[in-house]
Amino acid sequence: SCDALFYFAGLGCGTLAVLEQNEAGIVLLKSFDWNDGLFDVTWSENNEHVLITCSGDGSLQIWDTAKTKGPLQVCKEHTLEAYSVDWSQTRGEQLVLSGSWDQTAKLWDPAVGKSLCTFKGHEGVIYSTIWSPHIPGCFASASGDQTLRIWDVKAPGVKLVIPAHQAEILSCDWCKYDENLLVTGAVDCSLKGWDLRNIRQPVFVLLGHTYAIRRVKFSPFHATLLASCSYDFTVRFWDFSKPNPLLETVEHHTEFTCGLDLSLHNRGQV
């Protein structure tokens, strides 16, 4: 099983590290350097060797771990930092989504060198763009304009605008078991659940983090389980169906915790 991560090196450059987990632990398979910070990464859904990063210069980089040199392709259209990238989860379409500090989201086909479509409407930085795992062509975006927005790639303009927090929203994710349920995480330290059929009130609010929530992810194995990480250095696990939803707080990090994901292969691994 391969994992990818990225980190900042000095002098404004970034490194993509591809790791393998085996009996000996976690070993570095390969690393690639880029001349700007890398903010997000997504694996291809149709080629185990291909992944895409996005960076501070506004570009997306397509990498092949089977090759030793630089990126296969660089897609440069965003005019400010590209902060989020996600490969479509639904079968039958190989589409990539990016979100940028230029307030736009863009749709890409990795086989085509330029974007297929640009989505405008947010009035602030876009921090997160996430495909629906259920509905083809549907994605969510979270922004510094304090809204969560739902889009359909086949229709111009935004489908739904949810004023989810009275603070910048840094992260969002879709429930893997309910196509109408999303979660947002914001600078106000709260996580909120949203049912797209009734957006007047959140279906849950989870409190506990003491600084901005940087990323939130639903579990691939449990319908009501999610994980979040924060500038408070912690990773927290929640079950929103329980009266006391905070299951665990992990405090092993000594710096800002900026990203996390849950393994699709191992129920207990984050």
Side-chain angles (χ1 to χ4, degrees), residues 70-130:
L72 295 177
Q73 196 176 330
V74 177
C75 304
K76 174 84 171 78
E77 287 185 26
H78 286 298
T79 56
L80 292 171
E81 286 87 341
Y83 209 64
S84 173
V85 65
D86 194 30
W87 201 296
S88 176
Q89 303 288 307
T90 52
R91 293 177 190 275
E93 49 183 18
Q94 294 302 321
L95 297 173
V96 171
L97 192 59
S98 62
S100 169
W101 290 5
D102 66 11
Q103 305 185 6
T104 71
K106 285 181 180 283
L107 179 69
W108 309 81
D109 178 340
V112 179
K114 60 183 191 297
S115 68
L116 306 177
C117 190
T118 300
F119 300 89
K120 297 176 180 177
H122 276 296
E123 294 167 20
V125 168
I126 296 177
Y127 289 111
S128 183
T129 46
I130 304 287

Side-chain angles (χ1 to χ4, degrees), residues 104-214:
T104 71
K106 285 181 180 283
L107 179 69
W108 309 81
D109 178 340
V112 179
K114 60 183 191 297
S115 68
L116 306 177
C117 190
T118 300
F119 300 89
K120 297 176 180 177
H122 276 296
E123 294 167 20
V125 168
I126 296 177
Y127 289 111
S128 183
T129 46
I130 304 287
W131 286 108
S132 165
H134 308 282
I135 309 161
C138 178
F139 70 92
S141 58
S143 168
D145 67 11
Q146 308 182 357
T147 67
L148 171 70
R149 297 182 186 226
I150 310 300
W151 310 78
D152 179 350
V153 299
K154 294 178 280 298
V158 66
K159 194 171 170 183
L160 194 58
V161 180
I162 303 170
H165 296 257
Q166 290 184 307
E168 289 197 295
I169 307 170
L170 303 186
S171 186
C172 64
D173 196 30
W174 295 80
C175 178
K176 310 301 186 284
Y177 294 86
D178 182 343
E179 68 177 34
N180 290 300
L181 185 62
L182 292 98
V183 63
T184 51
V187 172
D188 62 9
C189 309
S190 75
L191 295 160
K192 293 184 180 181
W194 300 96
D195 186 326
L196 299 183
R197 293 162 299 192
N198 180 4
I199 61 171
R200 286 194 298 272
Q201 294 288 330
V203 288
F204 61 81
V205 179
L206 304 174
L207 302 173
H209 280 294
T210 56
Y211 282 94
I213 293 164
R214 180 64 187 269

